Amino acid sequence: MMTEQAVLQQIKPYVQSAPWLADDAYVEEQTGYVYTTDLFVEGRHFDRAYYAPQHIGWKTAAAAISDIAATGAKLQHILISLALPETVDEGFVSAFYRGVSDLLQTLEVGQLVGGDTVGSPLMAVNVTAIGKMPRWFHPGRRSQAQPGDVLIATGYHGLSAAGMIALRQGLEGMAVACEAHLKPLPRLKQGLFLSGRFPRYALMDSSDGLADAALKLSAASRVRVVIDIHQLPIHNDLKILHGVTREDPLRLALYGGEDYELVAAVPLTPAQIRDLPEGFRVIGHVEPYREGQANAVLINGTTQEVLEELSFERTYQHFSSSGHFSAATTPYDSDGIPPKC
């Protein structure tokens, strides 16, 4: 099976920004502009059986904007290109862009400035986001973690995966998880907080899961990333889902993906930890990497016992034969809200 990393290795010789190819977005050092683009395909990234058009607009824009947040930059502009089947009507297009507009209004930053449309047998959405690093701010890089750093993250992990399961199975009582899956909120303010205060820190988003973020930070920085099970927050919706489906909340938190939270390794003093703004939580720390050790692990912080060596094999694989989605059982209603969300 072809992997994303294998594809990137083939692209690397042709990309001028190859040293930063592993980052979420390209930062142009001379100007401070930040560029990223994301492609979303129906059936792999969204399912119209339970995604209303406005949800598709919101989420695809949010995913690209999250890459801007993951550099610590401020969003400037987005451009969207749509590949649309003949079965799509004008109402879909209007609702799609209403979702994009609602997100930008919620974020109170950024403008939609263009894009393209094309007829296609398959629906696809491409979003390009452009950001700007404020003067004297410092971009986050995956390669800037150092031993002694504190590992912090925003929000809850596993909520989006729990929401996807709830939506596909028509389960009730998990409104927060469903909202997290359909309408994720990029953490722009939290990214700017880091870039404005720390000359050196490592940062990325967790679009492919918390374990994926820990492993990639570890690989780029050549350190060992340690997550403490006692510091990892588990939202109550994951516990509700476990009671119905027996889905393991810890597995969802580590490997669920599509949460679009930020994960950072930062040189924090105890006083700075206490003064972290709302939304950040300490979830672990960074250690020196030693030959023969696992790059990223889950531990019991009380006993220091290693509970699990984190693995790329369990994370979301972009080129696997099956994506996140299959046929759903819960269509959205006239307002675009799944009836049992």
Side-chain angles (χ1 to χ4, degrees):
M1 179 184 70
M2 183 167 55
T3 67
E4 182 184 24
Q5 293 305 312
V7 172
L8 290 175
Q9 286 303 313
Q10 295 300 311
I11 296 172
K12 189 175 181 179
Y14 306 99
V15 180
Q16 290 184 352
S17 60
W20 310 116
L21 192 61
D23 288 326
D24 287 299
Y26 170 60
V27 181
E28 190 174 55
E29 297 286 350
Q30 297 85 350
T31 66
Y33 279 101
V34 180
Y35 305 93
T36 187
T37 189
D38 271 308
L39 179 63
F40 308 90
V41 179
E42 182 176 11
R44 180 171 287 271
H45 299 102
F46 59 87
D47 188 332
R48 279 190 284 162
Y50 61 86
Y51 270 74
Q54 55 265 39
H55 293 144
I56 301 174
W58 177 299
K59 185 166 183 176
T60 54
I65 293 170
S66 182
D67 287 340
I68 300 296
T71 66
K74 183 177 181 180
L75 177 67
Q76 298 286 304
H77 306 296
I78 63 171
L79 299 94
I80 297 178
S81 294
L82 290 176
L84 298 173
E86 293 180 355
T87 54
V88 171
D89 58 22
E90 294 178 1
F92 176 96
V93 176
S94 176
F96 173 93
Y97 281 100
R98 186 167 67 250
V100 175
S101 177
D102 288 346
L103 171 61
L104 294 178
Q105 289 182 32
T106 299
L107 295 173
E108 298 180 329
V109 67
Q111 293 181 319
L112 174 65
V113 296
D116 195 13
T117 58
V118 65
S120 169
L122 184 69
M123 181 178 293
V125 183
N126 183 261
V127 184
T128 296
I130 301 169
K132 184 75 159 59
M133 192 65 59
R135 192 177 185 186
W136 311 124
F137 281 46
H138 305 276
R141 306 283 193 189
R142 295 182 187 180
S143 59
Q144 292 182 338
Q146 293 183 9
D149 285 351
V150 177
L151 189 70
I152 61 176
T154 60
Y156 290 91
H157 283 87
L159 269 175
S160 180
M164 181 183 71
I165 294 168
L167 288 162
R168 289 167 67 174
Q169 298 186 19
L171 304 177
E172 298 182 5
M174 285 167 279
V176 176
C178 292
E179 183 86 353
H181 184 66
L182 296 172
K183 298 175 65 177
L185 197 63
R187 304 303 187 181
L188 287 166
K189 291 181 179 179
Q190 288 86 346
L192 281 165
F193 168 83
L194 295 174
S195 64
R197 286 164 177 78
F198 298 97
R200 196 272 306 163
Y201 63 101
L203 181 65
M204 66 175 292
D205 79 355
S206 58
S207 54
D208 291 333
L210 178 58
D212 174 89
L215 287 159
K216 287 178 178 174
L217 285 175
S218 171
S221 296
R222 299 182 180 180
V223 294
R224 191 182 201 220
V225 175
V226 179
I227 297 174
D228 184 349
I229 193 171
H230 296 307
Q231 295 179 309
L232 183 61
I234 302 295
H235 194 277
N236 190 57
D237 277 15
L238 274 68
K239 299 173 185 176
I240 294 173
L241 182 67
H242 175 72
V244 178
T245 67
R246 312 313 296 173
E247 290 281 352
D248 183 354
L250 183 59
R251 297 277 74 70
L252 292 179
L254 290 173
Y255 297 103
E258 290 204 311
D259 291 299
Y260 301 105
E261 300 292 348
L262 295 182
V263 181
V266 189
L268 295 173
T269 66
Q272 289 173 320
I273 292 174
R274 290 192 295 270
D275 291 338
L276 281 173
E278 184 179 359
F280 280 113
R281 292 183 175 89
V282 174
I283 63 168
H285 62 275
V286 178
E287 298 178 350
Y289 174 73
R290 295 182 176 86
E291 194 69 32
Q293 284 187 327
N295 288 351
V297 294
L298 178 73
I299 69 165
N300 179 330
T302 303
T303 64
Q304 298 304 306
E305 175 190 2
V306 174
L307 303 177
E308 179 180 339
E309 297 181 0
L310 304 184
S311 168
F312 271 123
E313 294 180 0
R314 298 186 184 182
T315 61
Y316 175 64
Q317 302 299 317
H318 290 266
F319 291 88
S320 65
S321 59
S322 60
H324 280 302
F325 300 101
S326 61
T329 58
T330 308
Y332 58 80
D333 64 16
S334 59
D335 294 323
I337 305 299
K340 293 191 177 183
C341 182

